[in-house]
């Protein structure tokens, strides 16, 4: 603390007034207030800039009434090694030294049985002296409480260590921006720096991103907020990569080491011994987090033995430079705040060790991936209880995987090692729905010169690229990648990836409405997978057979294929493949109109996904359950499931999935008789699909849109529906998602007549086309339609073609069936 204080009597206290508003940490203050009622010594631990001192003064002020002899703040920020702590405490309390007597004894006598609270700030400068003094006070003075702040614990008997957390950050979807402590602090300090500042829809995402990049660290946030007097939030965010230079103008009255972000971290680093400095800078190769085993494998060597890593790591945790997070898969996960990691990266680079330890980190990621792959495919097949902890840990290591891939490509010039890492993670990537950023890295790596890659690695990676494209609903990319993969995989004898590539090509053929080619490719895929013992790929092929049969309305055949896939999945104890088959069986039941059975399959699949990451499967289950609830008229349940599905879908980067979810929410809005909302959402969904190209328009898409728009046209009129549709079409994907999730809030932009062009939705059938569709339903040929309407056969044929294109159908029978169902409803 740095504020001037005026000493009063020994029964008063010297807590300074707070210089500005205290923002957030309400729960922390409440917890610490209760803690001081039962604990003799409480130490607030945390990294520099985390807000220990400010929190201590706030808590002390809250409990001041419980200490009749006062609350006294002892500043140790400017202390250096060799200083004594007793003179500082005595000066604060007004205790004078006695001749021929140790000041410590005089001080303890003066404290005696007084009931007071000592707040000792920044004890890390005199950690041993602070510990010794607190031990003496605890022994002799029963009614004295001590609240300390330090970057490491005092380690005295009776001490309660309370780790000061970062300020809370907003959720990734940004819907709790106003409740985030970090955002509230930034807004408060930015407003003080610039009267023109305010949180708006335009800068909200940048503020959230800024607070997240600064780890919710109060000092860093306050320094960034002060820049709002000269920069916009977007400018600050853009320059944050060089955070130490950017955040370099703090409070002039603060100690020098607290005036800039660099000075704060620099001071902490200088207090470390050499082994601690070595390990801290080497740990910078980890992105996101690591385990003890990983630290021992990667960071040992060159003046740091593997057996010493645990002790040094514990010291770094004690000094608040490394955080010990919750247990993951039976192991403690460690991480650094990003500000500390960036500083440690600079030190690693300056040491000259960076290339060596980046390589060790990459190789260790490959070793972990190989271990997971061997476990998954080994024979005898492992139980899911053995696989699951590995996958949970892999989730925690995702950022490390991508960091290793990036280093291999950009620094080591080694694309083959990067591709080896990715293909070893084939099943976690595909089954876990980790399509982003796998797609971008695969594209970049496969664009490398062919001579830089062995045919087997290239073929395997191309097959994986096609499978990722399949998961993203991108048939064009899937076809190009898998067609190139087939020859290379045959040449290299990679029959598992070969079968996978052939299965994806079959899916593309299904999408292109080429059933004969799809059947042939599936047969080839099954033949390839039977060449080797690869039941994982066989489940993929069996499920694809089920999808193919379902697309042609062959429900019984589809059910048999999905049941075969489910039997293999159960034999493997595979909680990835089983839900895929269960989802297929749910879709078969839906087609038969058995909603109860469909719901049971979806719920069973969702239950199997509780402990693992399998986003696209979970999204499909939630969406399916939402559609079932909607069909049964249970609108609250439908809303809950569909919103949950959309929220999960946003984080996967799957635009097609987002469009599908928004379309279903449009159907829900129609059921709730909110026609305006329904049409806007329908327009937004169609716009997202259109931006991806015509290839992503599934069979019957236009018919579904027509079913949604027709009731709205009856109630609102064609002109208003067209205007609402245009309004939805103008939304960006982010605006559409935000609108879809805000069921209780109207879309902010008012609908003004004439503002939007009155253009009919692309799916709308004209009156003439409706008339011809009715005639198709009556079984009339083009010639008979032409005779009935007194038009030429060519004109009739053109109208029929337009109807098929708009409704997304491939046959007159589908049109007839749809018209009959529409008339019935």
């Amino acid at each position: 603390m740095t504020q001037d204080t005026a000493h009063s009597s020994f029964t008063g206290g010297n807590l300074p007034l707070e210089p500005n508003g205290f923002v957030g940490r309400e729960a922390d203050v409440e917890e610490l207030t209760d803690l001081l009622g039962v604990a003799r010594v409480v130490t607030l631990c945390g990294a520099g800039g985390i807000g220990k001192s400010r929190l201590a003064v706030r808590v002390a002020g809250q409990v001041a009434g419980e200490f009749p002899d006062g609350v006294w703040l002892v500043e140790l920020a400017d202390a250096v090694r060799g200083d004594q702590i007793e003179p500082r405490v005595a000066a604060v309390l007004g205790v004078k030294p006695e001749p021929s007597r140790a000041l410590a004894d005089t001080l303890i006598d003066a404290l005696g049985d007084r009931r007071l609270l000592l707040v000792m700030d920044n004890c890390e400068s005199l950690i041993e002296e602070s510990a010794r003094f607190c031990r003496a006070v605890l022994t002799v003075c029963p009614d004295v409480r001590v609240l300390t702040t330090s970057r490491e614990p005092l380690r005295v008997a009776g001490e309660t260590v309370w780790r000061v957390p970062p300020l809370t950050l907003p959720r990734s979807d940004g819907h709790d921006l106003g409740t985030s402590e970090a955002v509230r602090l930034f807004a408060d300090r930015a407003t003080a720096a610039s009267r023109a500042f305010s949180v708006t829809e335009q800068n909200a995402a940048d503020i959230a991103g800024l607070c997240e990049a600064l780890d919710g660290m109060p000092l860093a946030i306050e320094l960034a907020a002060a820049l709002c007097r000269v920069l916009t939030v977007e400018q600050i965010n853009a320059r944050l990569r060089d955070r130490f230079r950017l955040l370099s103008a703090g409070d002039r009255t603060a100690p020098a080491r607290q005036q800039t972000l660099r000075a704060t971290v620099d001071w902490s680093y200088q207090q470390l011994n050499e082994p601690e400095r070595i390990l801290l800078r080497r740990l910078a190769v980890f992105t996101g987090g690591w385990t003890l085993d990983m630290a021992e494998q990667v960071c040992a060597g060159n003046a740091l033995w593997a057996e010493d890593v645990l002790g040094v790591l514990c010291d770094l945790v004690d000094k608040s430079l490394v955080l010990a997070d919750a247990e993951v898969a039976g192991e403690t996960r460690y991480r650094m705040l990003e500000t500390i990691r960036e500083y440690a990266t600079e030190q690693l680079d300056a040491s000259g060790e960076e290339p060596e330890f980046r390589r060790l980190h990459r190789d260790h990621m490959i070793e972990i991936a190989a271990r997971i792959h061997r476990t998954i495919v080994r024979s005898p097949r492992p139980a899911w209880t053995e696989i699951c902890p590995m996958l949970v840990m892999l989730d925690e290591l995702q950022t490390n995987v991508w960091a290793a891939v990036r280093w291999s490509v950009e620094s080591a010039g080694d694309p083959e090692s990067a591709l080896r890492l990715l293909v070893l993670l084939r099943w976690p990537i595909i089954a876990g729905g980790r399509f982003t950023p796998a797609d971008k890295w695969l594209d970049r790596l496969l664009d490398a010169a062919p001579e830089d890659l062995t045919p087997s690695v290239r073929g395997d990676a191309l097959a994986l690229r096609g499978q990722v494209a399949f998961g993203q609903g991108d048939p064009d990319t899937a076809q190009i990648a898998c067609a190139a993969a087939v020859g290379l995989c045959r040449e290299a004898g990679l029959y598992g990836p070969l079968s996978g590539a052939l299965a994806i090509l079959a899916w593309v053929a299904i999408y292109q409405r080429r059933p004969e080619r799809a059947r042939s490719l599936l047969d080839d895929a099954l033949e390839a997978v039977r060449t080797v013992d690869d039941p994982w790929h066989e489940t993929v092929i069996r499920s694809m057979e089920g999808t193919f049969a379902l697309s042609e309305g062959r429900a019984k055949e589809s059910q048999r294929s999905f049941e075969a896939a489910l039997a293999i999945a159960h034999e493997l104890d595979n909680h990835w493949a089983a839900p895929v088959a269960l989802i297929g069986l749910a879709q078969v039941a839906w087609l038969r109109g058995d909603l109860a059975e469909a719901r049971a399959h979806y719920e069973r699949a969702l239950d199997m996904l509780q402990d693992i990451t399998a986003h696209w499967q979970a999204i499909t289950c939630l969406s399916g359950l939402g559609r079932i609830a909607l069909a049964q008229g249970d609108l609250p349940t439908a809303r809950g499931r569909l919103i949950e599905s959309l929220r999960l879908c946003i984080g996967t980067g799957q635009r097609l999935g987002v469009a599908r979810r928004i379309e279903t929410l449009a159907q829900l809005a129609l059921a709730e008789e909110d026609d305006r909302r329904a049409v806007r959402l329908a327009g937004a969904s169609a716009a997202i699909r259109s931006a991806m190209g015509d290839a992503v328009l599934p069979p019957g898409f236009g018919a579904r849109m027509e079913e949604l728009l027709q009731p709205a046209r009856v109630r609102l009129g064609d002109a208003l529906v067209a205007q609402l549709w245009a309004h939805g079409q103008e939304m960006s994907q982010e605006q559409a998602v935000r609108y879809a999730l805000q069921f209780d809030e109207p879309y902010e932009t008012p609908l003004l007549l004439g503002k939007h062009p009155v253009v009919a939705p692309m799916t709308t059938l004209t009156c003439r086309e409706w008339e011809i569709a009715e005639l198709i339903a009556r079984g009339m040929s083009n010639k008979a339609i032409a005779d009935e309407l007194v038009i030429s056969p060519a004109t009739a044929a053109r109208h029929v073609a337009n109807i098929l294109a708009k409704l997304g159908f491939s046959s007159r029978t589908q049109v007839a069936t749809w018209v009959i169902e529409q008339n019935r409803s």
Side-chain angles (χ1 to χ4, degrees):
M1 301 304 298
T2 61
Q3 292 74 26
D4 294 331
T5 59
H7 286 207
S8 57
S9 67
F10 195 41
T11 57
N14 70 336
L15 278 185
L17 295 175
E18 292 183 298
N20 47 25
F22 186 88
V23 179
R25 297 204 185 277
E26 291 85 0
D28 296 344
V29 171
E30 182 178 356
E31 181 178 340
L32 286 166
T33 299
D34 293 339
L35 191 57
L36 277 173
V38 294
R40 296 286 308 280
V41 178
V42 176
T43 299
L44 305 186
C45 273
I50 203 69
K52 303 182 295 295
S53 299
R54 190 66 190 271
L55 178 59
V57 169
R58 183 69 169 187
V59 171
Q62 295 291 306
V63 300
E66 301 174 19
F67 296 95
D69 292 312
V71 176
W72 301 88
L73 174 64
V74 181
E75 300 268 18
L76 301 174
D78 58 347
V80 296
R81 289 183 182 178
D83 284 357
Q84 297 296 310
I85 196 169
E86 288 82 0
R88 292 173 176 269
V89 179
V92 167
L93 296 176
V95 175
K96 299 185 181 299
E98 297 177 289
S100 305
R101 191 182 187 199
L103 180 57
D105 295 338
T106 301
L107 191 54
I108 293 297
D109 279 352
L111 289 171
D113 58 359
R114 292 181 184 273
R115 184 170 179 77
L116 59 79
L117 173 65
L118 277 179
V119 181
M120 296 168 55
D121 193 29
N122 294 296
C123 290
E124 64 272 3
S125 303
L126 300 174
I127 193 70
E128 299 293 339
E129 294 81 357
S130 298
R132 187 167 54 250
F133 175 75
C134 285
R135 188 181 300 113
V137 170
L138 289 176
T139 303
V140 180
C141 308
D143 292 322
V144 173
R145 293 283 193 274
V146 183
L147 176 62
T148 73
T149 74
S150 176
R151 302 190 190 195
E152 59 181 305
L154 301 184
R155 294 185 186 144
V156 297
E159 177 189 30
T160 298
V161 178
W162 199 89
R163 298 281 176 183
V164 179
L167 298 176
T168 59
L169 297 170
R171 287 201 319 246
S172 57
D173 58 18
H175 286 284
D176 63 342
L177 204 64
T179 61
S180 162
E181 294 172 340
V183 171
R184 287 164 54 198
L185 178 65
F186 181 89
D188 181 88
R189 302 303 191 252
T191 303
S194 171
R195 292 184 179 180
F197 175 84
S198 63
V199 179
T200 66
E201 183 177 345
Q202 288 68 40
N203 67 16
D206 278 314
I207 293 172
L210 182 70
C211 292
E212 183 175 0
L214 295 175
D215 302 303
M217 182 183 288
L219 173 63
I221 290 171
E222 294 204 22
L223 291 171
L227 292 173
C228 287
R229 68 188 187 279
V230 291
L231 297 173
T232 65
V233 180
E234 185 178 7
Q235 288 176 304
I236 297 170
N237 227 352
R239 294 166 180 261
L240 200 59
R241 288 186 178 182
D242 191 2
R243 69 183 67 197
F244 292 116
R245 177 180 296 178
L246 181 67
L247 307 180
S248 59
D251 181 358
R252 289 191 181 93
T253 65
R257 64 185 174 86
Q258 294 179 355
Q259 290 183 16
T260 71
L261 191 59
R262 174 174 290 283
T264 298
V265 183
D266 239 336
W267 188 89
S268 294
Y269 189 71
Q270 295 306 319
Q271 306 308 304
L272 302 178
N273 60 36
E274 190 58 22
E276 291 167 346
R277 292 183 189 182
I278 291 173
L279 182 57
L280 183 71
R281 67 179 182 241
R282 292 178 184 176
L283 289 170
V285 300
F286 295 109
T287 304
W290 66 89
T291 65
L292 173 61
D293 178 69
M294 293 169 65
E296 290 173 333
Q297 295 293 322
V298 174
C299 298
N302 298 342
L304 183 65
W305 297 103
E307 56 264 31
D308 295 331
V309 168
L310 173 58
V312 179
L313 183 60
C314 289
D315 290 339
L316 291 175
V317 171
D318 281 346
K319 291 176 169 61
S320 304
L321 292 171
V322 168
L323 305 178
D325 277 358
E327 180 182 299
V328 177
E331 296 186 63
T332 299
R333 174 182 178 273
Y334 301 91
R335 67 180 178 91
M336 284 188 273
L337 295 178
E338 189 58 28
T339 297
I340 304 297
R341 198 184 76 84
E342 186 172 316
Y343 181 89
T345 301
E346 291 182 6
Q347 301 305 312
L348 181 64
D349 179 57
S351 73
E353 294 183 327
E354 184 169 20
E356 176 186 357
F357 286 93
R358 292 284 181 194
R359 180 184 57 78
L360 288 168
H361 172 263
R362 190 274 313 277
D363 291 348
H364 191 60
M365 289 301 107
I366 292 176
E367 182 184 332
I368 290 173
R371 191 187 312 149
I372 293 173
H373 180 75
R374 286 194 302 269
T375 302
I376 287 174
V377 302
R378 78 163 188 242
S379 183
R381 307 300 177 192
W384 187 254
T385 52
E386 184 178 351
I387 296 175
C388 190
M390 290 185 168
L391 303 180
V392 172
M393 182 58 73
L394 180 63
D395 278 343
E396 296 298 318
L397 300 180
Q398 284 296 295
T399 52
N400 278 293
V401 169
W402 305 125
V405 169
R406 180 183 297 279
W407 181 82
S408 289
V409 177
E410 297 180 351
S411 299
D414 186 3
E416 182 149 330
S417 289
L419 282 176
R420 281 180 54 227
L421 174 56
L422 292 178
V423 298
L424 284 169
L425 294 174
R426 162 178 267 104
W427 294 118
I429 287 173
I430 297 170
R434 300 175 177 88
F435 306 131
T436 304
D439 54 350
K440 302 296 187 296
W441 280 116
L442 285 165
D443 286 341
R444 182 171 175 179
L445 290 162
L446 288 167
D447 282 343
E451 60 268 20
D452 292 340
L453 303 171
T454 60
S456 61
V457 169
R458 186 172 179 80
D460 206 354
L462 282 165
L464 174 59
R465 182 64 186 98
Q467 289 168 316
V468 168
F470 163 68
Q472 293 176 312
D474 181 357
D476 292 340
T477 301
Q479 183 171 27
I480 293 168
C482 288
V486 167
L488 290 169
C489 288
R490 284 191 193 279
E491 180 184 341
L494 298 174
Y495 292 103
L498 171 62
S499 68
L502 291 168
I504 300 305
L505 289 173
W507 168 75
V508 173
I510 295 169
Y511 222 92
Q512 295 171 339
R513 299 169 191 171
R514 300 170 64 189
E516 296 81 6
R517 175 168 170 76
R519 179 71 270 169
S520 174
L521 286 164
L522 284 172
D523 289 342
D524 290 347
L526 200 56
E527 181 181 349
V529 83
R530 285 173 175 165
T531 305
V532 290
D533 181 20
D534 192 346
W536 280 72
H537 269 110
E538 187 173 353
T539 62
V540 172
I541 297 164
R542 292 299 187 190
S543 292
M544 199 72 72
E545 284 180 331
T547 301
F548 175 45
L550 190 63
S551 71
E552 295 196 318
R554 293 180 278 115
K556 289 184 178 180
E557 186 177 335
S558 176
Q559 182 160 342
R560 284 196 297 270
S561 294
F562 283 124
E563 286 173 346
L566 185 61
I568 298 171
H570 282 328
E571 183 181 348
L572 295 174
D573 193 20
N574 185 329
H575 289 212
W576 278 330
V580 174
L582 287 167
I583 288 169
L585 290 171
Q587 292 168 342
V588 172
W590 172 277
L591 184 65
R592 294 200 317 263
D594 190 341
L595 300 187
E597 183 179 334
R599 183 175 61 248
H601 287 313
Y602 279 131
E603 289 175 344
R604 186 179 169 198
L606 201 57
D607 186 59
M608 296 185 75
L609 299 171
Q610 293 304 310
D611 298 327
I612 57 172
T613 296
H615 289 319
W616 76 265
Q617 298 175 22
I619 290 165
T620 304
C621 290
L622 290 166
S623 183
L625 290 168
R627 289 188 296 111
I628 289 169
L630 177 59
Q632 294 177 327
D634 185 356
L635 303 189
T637 297
R639 182 185 299 114
R641 293 294 196 178
L642 293 174
I643 287 179
E644 191 178 355
S645 175
L646 177 57
R647 287 192 192 281
L648 189 57
C649 198
I650 296 166
T652 67
Q654 297 180 54
R655 289 184 295 163
L656 180 59
V658 169
R660 287 170 174 164
R661 262 77 266 172
I662 291 177
E663 179 190 332
T664 311
L665 284 167
Q667 294 168 345
L668 174 63
L670 188 71
E672 294 176 322
E673 299 184 356
D674 190 345
D675 295 331
R676 294 181 174 227
R677 182 181 191 82
V679 177
R680 280 190 180 117
L681 287 173
S685 172
I688 295 171
R689 286 182 182 271
S690 296
M692 298 176 66
D694 293 339
V696 300
L697 294 179
F701 172 72
R704 292 204 308 273
M705 287 289 102
E706 192 65 26
E707 291 167 14
L708 198 153
L709 295 170
Q710 182 60 24
R713 277 196 292 267
V714 171
R715 292 190 283 262
L716 300 178
D718 288 345
L720 185 52
V721 165
Q723 195 174 24
L724 289 161
W725 175 272
H727 195 182
Q729 291 263 296
E730 289 177 0
M731 294 185 199
S732 67
Q733 179 172 313
E734 292 72 23
Q735 288 173 324
V737 166
R738 197 159 51 243
Y739 182 47
L741 294 175
Q742 293 171 346
F743 270 86
D744 298 327
E745 302 176 27
Y747 187 61
E748 292 181 1
T749 305
L751 188 67
L752 300 176
L753 194 62
K755 179 181 177 184
H756 299 280
V758 181
V759 179
M762 64 178 183
T763 60
T764 301
L765 299 184
T766 64
C767 292
R768 173 64 88 180
E769 286 166 350
W770 264 106
E771 188 177 12
I772 291 173
E774 293 275 6
L775 296 176
I776 291 172
R778 287 164 52 187
M780 297 177 68
S781 66
N782 286 359
K783 184 177 185 308
I785 291 171
D787 293 342
E788 177 77 16
L789 300 178
V790 194
I791 57 177
S792 71
T795 300
R798 187 169 62 253
H799 281 308
V800 172
N802 288 341
I803 292 168
L804 289 170
K806 286 184 176 182
L807 297 181
F809 290 144
S810 59
S811 70
R812 300 165 70 93
T813 302
Q814 290 173 307
V815 174
T817 302
W818 180 75
V819 169
I820 292 168
E821 290 176 351
Q822 287 291 101
N823 289 338
R824 185 184 300 125
S825 61

